[in-house]
């Protein structure tokens, strides 16, 4: 009880945070959920329609397509960079740094990380140009080396657009897991490795049993943050393809944006955003629980 | 002893060659490299010198350098073509070096979009958000981490969720409300919104740091007669300055790079930030290969400058974010 009186004076420090969060987060969040049950063009007053937006949503082929695209984007933004990053981080830390010196390892790491520091819109511009069908660099390069038959309308052909975006996203994301894992690897006690070597463990066994086990916290953080980032992806899609061609790269956030600001279907857009939010929060909770369980079993 | 260390050094190569076959498929399948790297592993005990002469030693480094080149290549291509005249590009294509440096494309683009103004808008917004966001995070974390106010767990859950929310779920009401309050199409709206959004992350991170804040320091301050307000500014903030520097850096760069909300809130030319100004021009009829590269290059340069300035804070910060 003494503790709570001693701590009483601290509550005032929370007031600015509570006021600001209410205005910018809580009120808009509640409003969006409410609007998702209405029909509203953004002008006049919303008309209550119950679950109509949601039933329409689950019958909308575009909605399912946008979530299908997200699954492929999770592959490109979370799964592939995490595994590639894990291997690259281990090689940089365990091989390059030891054989060629830390300088090499840190130069390579910074280079791989470079795309991450660029504004999302700028990466979109770079790739939008490189992949452009008429004046883009990639097709020009292919033609000049006699592989003109491989030239495609990378972002404009529904057959290739999503794969092109996936390639760009792998390029963009790879540096993040590398930096995270390398900083995690520094925690590992070298004696653990030496003990494993004494026991005659191979590099692969050591990688699995020690490296992965020790950087498990980073592994979870990277997987959660990159998966959530792929669910939220907007900027690259806006700049590269605007969801097209013929919705081949439509994603939930862009789908919601279109309904809000192009079609003036605010209620429907709100329903899309609400579903996306629920999905993200549920995913985060599942990941957190998995992480807690993993921590408990390992200790 | 030598046996052990030698093996530790030799082993990664053979196993990585095996691993590479799944991921990269090409060069690593060469049987020569496999035998070349496997062999010394077995023989290191007798002939450690063999390893030093082994040409396969550079194979992995080469692969990593090729990968580096692939990652940096788009930026190099942009840089090369940004300083090329349209005629030169038409004649020689994207890969040739410019005949002579042609700055006109960059200058024209700069003037056309009034880039100096966009830089200023981005800078002032990012700076304001970074300062205010850190202050708000400190106040929240002071109450939650050090003050341990009642219900702190629920507050933390709230900030965690706030941190996860997609901006799409907030955007329309924010757009509507900002119009009602006359804040639409103004940098103020963006500053207020991002201060709150960034501080949700800051609060979450800083609370875990402040939970382990040394009690003795606070008690010493209390004995000296310092109230909570003075203790915050004289003790807590100075001691946690490294973490605050990391937060400041993150907030600044994140805000600089933001695209979605600025795209919606800053519609007039005079208020646009750098990413918005560049992003909305894509697909414009005026854009050709060299102009697009020029626009990309002037978007890359500020980001690279921040990266170089903040590099040490950033790497430290990425680590701090991971190990909660």
């Amino acid at each position: 009880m003494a503790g709570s009186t001693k701590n009483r004076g601290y509550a005032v420090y929370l007031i600015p945070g509570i006021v600001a969060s209410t205005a910018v987060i809580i009120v808009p969040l509640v409003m969006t959920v409410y609007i998702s049950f209405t029909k509203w063009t953004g002008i006049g007053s919303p008309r209550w329609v119950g679950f109509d937006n949601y039933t329409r949503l689950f019958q909308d082929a575009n909605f399912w397509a946008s979530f299908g695209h997200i699954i492929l984007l999770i592959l490109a933004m979370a799964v592939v960079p995490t595994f590639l990053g894990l291997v690259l981080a281990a090689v940089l830390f365990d091989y390059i740094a030891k054989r060629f010196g830390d300088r090499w390892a840190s130069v390579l790491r910074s280079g791989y990380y470079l795309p991450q520091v660029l504004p999302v819109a700028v990466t979109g511009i770079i790739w939008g140009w490189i992949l452009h069908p008429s004046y883009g660099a990639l097709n020009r390069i292919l033609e000049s080396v006699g592989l003109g038959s491989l030239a495609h309308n990378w972002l404009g052909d529904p057959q290739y657009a999503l794969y092109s975006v996936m390639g760009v996203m792998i390029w963009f994301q790879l540096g993040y897991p590398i930096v995270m894992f390398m900083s995690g690897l520094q925690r590992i006690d070298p004696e653990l490795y030496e003990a494993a070597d004494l026991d005659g463990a191979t590099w692969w066994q050591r990688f699995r049993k020690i490296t992965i086990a020790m950087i498990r916290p980073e592994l979870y953080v990277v997987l959660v943050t990159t998966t959530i980032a792929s669910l939220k992806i907007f900027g690259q899609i806006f700049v590269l393809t605007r969801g097209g061609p013929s919705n081949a790269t439509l994603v939930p956030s862009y789908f919601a944006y279109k309904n809000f600001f192009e079609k003036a279907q605010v209620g429907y857009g709100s329903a899309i955003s609400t579903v996306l939010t629920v999905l993200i929060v549920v995913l985060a909770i599942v990941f957190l629980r998995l992480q807690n369980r993993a921590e408990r079993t390992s200790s | 002893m030598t046996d052990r260390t030698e093996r530790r050094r030799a082993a990664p190569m053979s196993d990585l060659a095996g691993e590479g076959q799944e991921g990269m498929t090409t060069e690593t399948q060469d049987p020569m490299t496999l035998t070349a790297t496997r062999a010394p592993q077995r023989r290191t005990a007798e002939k450690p010198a063999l390893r030093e002469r082994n040409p396969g030693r550079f194979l992995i480094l080469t692969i990593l350098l090729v990968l580096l080149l692939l990652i940096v290549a788009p930026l190099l291509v942009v840089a090369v073509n940004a300083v090329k005249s349209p005629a030169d590009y038409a004649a020689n294509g994207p890969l040739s070096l410019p005949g002579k440096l042609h700055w006109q494309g960059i200058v024209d683009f700069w003037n056309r979009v009034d880039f100096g103004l966009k830089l200023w808008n981005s800078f002032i917004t990012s700076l304001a958000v970074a300062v205010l966001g850190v202050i708000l995070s400190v106040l929240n974390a002071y109450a939650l981490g050090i003050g341990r106010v009642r219900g702190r767990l629920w507050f933390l859950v709230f900030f965690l969720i706030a941190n996860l929310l997609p901006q799409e779920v907030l955007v329309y009401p924010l757009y509507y409300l900002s119009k009602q309050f006359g804040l639409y199409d103004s940098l103020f709206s963006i500053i207020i919104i991002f201060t709150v959004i960034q501080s949700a992350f800051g609060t979450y991170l800083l609370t875990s740091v402040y939970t382990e804040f040394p009690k003795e320091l606070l008690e010493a301050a209390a004995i000296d007669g310092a109230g909570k307000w003075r203790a915050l500014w004289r003790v807590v903030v100075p001691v946690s300055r490294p973490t605050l520097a990391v937060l400041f850096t993150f907030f600044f760069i994140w805000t600089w790079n933001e695209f979605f909300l600025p795209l919606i809130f800053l519609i007039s030319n005079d208020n646009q930030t750098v990413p918005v100004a560049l992003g909305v021009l894509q697909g414009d009829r005026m854009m050709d290969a060299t102009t697009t590269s020029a626009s990309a290059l002037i978007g890359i340069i500020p980001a690279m400058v921040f990266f170089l300035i903040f590099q040490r804070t950033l790497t430290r910060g990425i680590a701090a974010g991971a190990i909660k």
Side-chain angles (χ1 to χ4, degrees), chain A:
Chain A
M1 213 49 220
S4 71
T5 48
K6 198 181 87 188
N7 288 345
R8 187 158 294 159
Y10 286 102
V12 284
Y13 291 91
L14 215 46
I15 291 172
I18 291 175
V19 171
S21 304
T22 307
V24 175
I25 294 171
I26 296 175
V27 168
L29 181 65
V30 172
M31 278 174 77
T32 297
V33 174
Y34 166 74
I35 296 167
S36 75
F37 291 103
T38 68
K39 197 172 167 61
W40 191 35
T41 57
I43 307 159
S45 44
R47 186 167 55 83
W48 183 265
V49 294
F51 281 93
D52 278 8
N53 287 324
Y54 290 94
T55 47
R56 180 181 153 199
L57 195 66
F58 290 114
Q59 289 160 4
D60 188 338
N62 281 334
F63 170 78
W64 290 108
S66 74
F67 277 93
H69 300 153
I70 281 295
I71 291 173
L72 284 173
L73 284 170
I74 289 174
L75 196 68
M77 291 177 69
V79 179
V80 172
T82 302
F83 284 99
L84 234 95
L86 195 58
V87 174
L88 284 167
V91 176
L92 287 176
F93 179 78
D94 205 25
Y95 186 78
I96 297 294
K98 281 177 188 152
R99 284 229 172 164
F100 297 92
D102 288 334
R103 232 191 137 66
W104 278 97
S106 74
V107 165
L108 285 165
R109 181 187 61 183
S110 303
Y112 297 151
Y113 191 72
L114 204 56
Q116 282 273 305
V117 302
L118 304 179
V120 162
V122 174
T123 64
I125 294 165
I126 297 172
W127 283 100
W129 166 60
I130 291 177
L131 301 175
H132 195 277
S134 54
Y135 61 71
L138 183 58
N139 282 354
R140 285 290 299 264
I141 292 167
L142 286 173
E143 276 156 28
S144 66
V145 296
L147 289 170
S149 58
L150 287 181
H152 290 296
N153 187 354
W154 299 103
L155 294 167
D157 186 333
Q159 217 186 326
Y160 301 110
L162 188 59
Y163 298 109
S164 303
V165 172
M166 285 171 72
V168 173
M169 293 320 297
I170 293 175
W171 171 84
F172 177 67
Q173 286 282 46
L174 186 61
Y176 170 65
I178 293 178
V179 169
M180 290 282 280
F181 295 151
M182 280 184 77
S183 79
L185 285 169
Q186 269 152 18
R187 269 204 322 266
I188 299 179
D189 185 350
E191 281 181 18
L192 265 178
Y193 278 159
E194 280 165 26
D197 284 334
L198 272 181
D199 292 344
T202 63
W203 190 85
W204 179 244
Q205 286 172 326
R206 225 176 48 179
F207 177 71
R208 278 183 42 209
K209 296 277 158 66
I210 302 177
T211 311
I212 296 191
M214 292 300 286
I215 60 167
R216 191 174 279 160
E218 280 83 4
L219 205 59
Y220 275 106
V221 170
V222 167
L223 273 175
V224 180
T225 46
T226 51
T227 305
I228 289 174
S230 31
L231 286 166
K232 290 180 180 177
I233 183 173
F234 177 86
Q236 283 98 342
I237 297 291
F238 182 90
V239 179
L240 284 174
T241 62
R242 310 235 164 161
S246 52
N247 292 334
T249 57
L250 191 68
V251 290
S253 65
Y254 193 78
F255 192 31
Y257 168 85
K258 255 168 79 168
N259 277 289
F260 283 140
F261 299 106
E262 284 172 15
K263 298 182 177 169
Q265 300 186 342
V266 183
Y268 195 51
S270 300
I272 300 165
S273 325
T274 307
V275 170
L276 180 64
T277 306
V278 169
L279 200 71
I280 289 173
V281 172
V282 167
L283 197 78
I285 292 170
V286 169
F287 264 122
L288 280 175
R289 300 203 83 152
L290 281 177
Q291 188 181 12
N292 279 340
R293 194 187 300 164
E295 268 169 22
R296 246 180 287 134
T297 49
S298 70
S299 63

Side-chain angles (χ1 to χ4, degrees), chain B residues 143-173:
Chain B
L144 296 173
I146 290 175
R148 291 171 174 275
V149 298
R150 204 176 296 194
R152 72 185 275 274
L153 192 68
W154 289 109
F155 281 109
L156 280 177
V157 169
F158 167 76
F159 285 112
L160 178 67
I161 292 176
N163 205 4
L164 295 171
L165 293 180
Q167 291 171 358
E168 292 77 28
V169 83
L170 307 176
V171 65
Y172 204 87

Side-chain angles (χ1 to χ4, degrees), chain B residues 211-262:
Chain B
T211 309
E212 276 148 42
F213 196 86
K215 289 273 173 298
E216 308 79 52
L217 290 179
L218 294 168
E219 280 156 14
I223 290 167
D224 289 346
K228 292 189 170 64
W229 180 251
R230 268 175 67 93
L232 172 62
W233 296 107
R234 293 291 167 80
V235 180
V236 176
V237 168
V239 169
S240 58
R241 190 174 292 145
T243 317
L244 301 184
V246 169
L247 280 184
F248 178 91
T249 312
F250 271 127
F251 291 175
F252 187 93
I253 292 181
W254 287 345
T255 310
W256 185 281
N257 290 349
E258 276 292 344
F259 183 67
F260 181 62
L261 289 177

Side-chain angles (χ1 to χ4, degrees), chain B residues 101-175:
Chain B
L101 291 183
H102 175 84
W103 298 105
Q104 203 54 42
I106 294 174
V107 173
D108 286 348
F109 184 80
W110 183 294
N111 292 333
R112 197 170 97 212
V113 300
D114 198 356
F115 197 73
L117 180 67
K118 319 284 161 159
L119 276 176
W120 173 250
N121 287 341
S122 272
F123 179 75
I124 203 75
T125 312
S126 307
L127 185 69
V129 169
V131 171
L132 295 173
V134 169
I135 292 175
L136 198 59
S137 308
V138 166
L139 294 176
N140 287 340
Y142 190 47
L144 296 173
I146 290 175
R148 291 171 174 275
V149 298
R150 204 176 296 194
R152 72 185 275 274
L153 192 68
W154 289 109
F155 281 109
L156 280 177
V157 169
F158 167 76
F159 285 112
L160 178 67
I161 292 176
N163 205 4
L164 295 171
L165 293 180
Q167 291 171 358
E168 292 77 28
V169 83
L170 307 176
V171 65
Y172 204 87
L174 287 174
Y175 165 80

